Amino acid sequence: MEPLSFRDLTVQNSEAVELFELLYSITECINNFDNATLESTYTERIQVSDSIYLLEWRLCQLEEISRSRQSWRRAGSVPLLPSMEQEKQPPYPSPTDLSDILIYALHLFLHLAIRGQPPAAQRHRALAEALVSSLWDPILNLDLLSQSKTYESSGPQLNQTIPDPSTSSNLPAYASSSEMARIGMPRLDRDELHANILLWALFVGSCVRIPVSLDETPVQLTSQHSFFINALKNYCRVRNILDSDLLMAKLKSIVWLHSWCEQQFSLAWLEIGDDLGSWLADDQADEREYAS
C-alpha cells in the first residue's frame, strides 16, 4: 500500500464546502466595504449580518453531527445521522478528509476575524480543542510532525509559486466537493486547494492565544497554541514554503480578512520565521555544495 500524500486530501462533506463558500463571500464583502458610504451600503451590511448568523447556526449543526459521530465511533457503532441536504455521507471520514477540520476552522475564523473576539478569550478553548482533535488523523497519516521530511512523490509537485490571480467565471452558485469551485476565488487545482485548506486551518488555529493564567508574567500560552505553531512550521517545511510572501499568498488563496489577517500573520511569522529561514539557508547551502 502506497503512503498517503497531499493528493489524498479531500473534503467529503458538501455542506462544509457550501459554508466555506459562504464565509468567503462574507469576508470579501467586508474587505470591499467603503466606510465613507455607510448609507449606500446599509442593505448590503444587513445581508452580511444575516449571513453571519446563518453561517454560525449551520456550523453548530454540523459540529453536533461530528461530535455524535465521534461518540458512535468510540462506542464501535455506526451512526445514523443524515446530512441536512439528505445526501448519503460516509459514516466515518477517511484519514485524509478535511471536512471536520474545515468546519472547526471556519467557526474559529468567524469568531476571531469576523466577530472580532479577542484571541485570548476562553470561549475559543472548546473549538480549538475540537480542531486539534480533527487534525490528528491527517497530520499523523501525512507524517507532518517530522521536521526533516520534505514532500516527495512520483507525480508533479504541488505549486510552490504565488497563485495566479485569475478567477473562475460563469460558475454555478454551488460547487461540488470534488471540484471545490468558488465564484471569485483564485483558480487552484484540486490538490493545491486542499493542501492550502490544511495550511489555512493551521494558521487559524495558531491565532488562538489563550493564556494558562493571567497572573503569570510573562503570560504562558496553552499547549494548543504550541501545537498549531509547530504543526504550521513543519507543514511549511514539508511543502517547501520557506518565505513570508509565499506563505501569505497561499493563505490569501483561501480566506483572508485584510487588516486582521495581516496582524495575525505578523505574529505567527515571528514564531516560525527564524526556523523556516534557517531551513532555507541550509537548503541553499546544500544546493551550492551539490552544484560544485
Side-chain angles (χ1 to χ4, degrees), residues 18 20 32 43-44 60 68 127 129 168 203 207 259 280-281:
E18 184 178 339
F20 195 8
N32 294 322
T43 301
E44 187 177 17
C60 288
S68 299
L127 277 176
E129 288 176 351
S168 306
F203 166 71
C207 297
S259 59
L280 177 60

Side-chain angles (χ1 to χ4, degrees), residues 93-120:
S94 72
T96 52
D97 179 20
L98 302 178
S99 297
D100 285 351
I101 294 171
L102 183 57
I103 290 166
Y104 291 120
L106 290 175
H107 209 163
L108 271 176
F109 189 88
L110 180 64
H111 283 179
L112 292 165
I114 305 298
R115 293 194 180 277
Q117 296 172 358

Side-chain angles (χ1 to χ4, degrees), residues 25 30-31 36 42 49 63 84 86 100 104 106 127 130 156 173 187 212 215 218 240 244 258 283:
S25 298
I30 295 174
N31 283 335
Y42 177 77
S49 180
E63 288 165 7
M84 288 182 282
Q86 301 299 315
D100 285 351
Y104 291 120
L106 290 175
L127 277 176
R187 183 178 300 170
V212 174
D215 297 330
N240 200 32
S244 61
H258 291 324
D283 287 347

Side-chain angles (χ1 to χ4, degrees), residues 18-232:
E18 184 178 339
L19 296 187
F20 195 8
E21 295 170 350
L22 180 57
L23 179 67
Y24 176 82
S25 298
I26 291 170
T27 305
E28 285 302 289
C29 241
I30 295 174
N31 283 335
N32 294 322
F33 274 157
D34 184 359
N35 293 324
T37 57
L38 292 178
E39 292 184 2
S40 63
T41 60
Y42 177 77
T43 301
E44 187 177 17
R45 289 170 182 269
I46 292 295
Q47 292 174 342
V48 168
S49 180
D50 291 343
S51 297
I52 290 172
Y53 281 107
L54 173 63
L55 174 60
E56 182 144 34
W57 174 65
R58 293 188 65 187
L59 285 171
C60 288
Q61 287 184 312
L62 289 183
E63 288 165 7
E64 179 60 28
I65 292 174
S66 176
R67 287 191 293 270
S68 299
R69 185 176 60 242
Q70 292 300 322
S71 297
W72 280 89
R73 185 176 184 178
R74 287 192 294 269
S77 304
V78 176
L80 298 176
L81 293 170
S83 72
M84 288 182 282
E85 295 179 357
Q86 301 299 315
E87 294 180 346
K88 186 176 180 181
Q89 302 285 355
Y92 300 125
S94 72
T96 52
D97 179 20
L98 302 178
S99 297
D100 285 351
I101 294 171
L102 183 57
I103 290 166
Y104 291 120
L106 290 175
H107 209 163
L108 271 176
F109 189 88
L110 180 64
H111 283 179
L112 292 165
I114 305 298
R115 293 194 180 277
Q117 296 172 358
Q122 291 292 329
R123 68 167 300 168
H124 304 314
R125 187 182 298 274
L127 277 176
E129 288 176 351
L131 181 56
V132 169
S133 178
S134 65
L135 280 163
W136 274 114
D137 274 350
I139 282 180
L140 292 178
N141 280 279
L142 295 175
D143 193 20
L144 298 184
L145 297 181
S146 173
Q147 296 188 14
S148 60
K149 181 181 177 181
T150 56
Y151 176 63
E152 296 179 355
S153 72
S154 57
Q157 296 278 345
L158 292 177
N159 182 18
Q160 298 299 327
T161 59
I162 295 177
D164 189 338
S166 63
T167 57
S168 306
S169 60
N170 300 322
L171 292 174
Y174 173 77
S176 66
S177 58
S178 62
E179 295 180 355
M180 294 286 291
R182 286 165 287 154
I183 293 176
M185 297 198 68
R187 183 178 300 170
L188 303 174
D189 64 49
R190 176 184 177 277
D191 297 338
E192 176 77 8
L193 179 59
H194 290 163
N196 287 354
I197 286 174
L198 180 54
L199 183 72
W200 180 81
L202 292 172
F203 166 71
V204 172
S206 74
C207 297
V208 177
R209 297 172 176 272
I210 303 173
V212 174
S213 173
L214 294 178
D215 297 330
E216 298 180 14
T217 306
V219 174
Q220 179 184 356
L221 301 181
T222 62
S223 58
Q224 288 178 352
H225 181 75
S226 298
F227 169 85
F228 287 119
I229 284 294
N230 289 330
L232 176 62

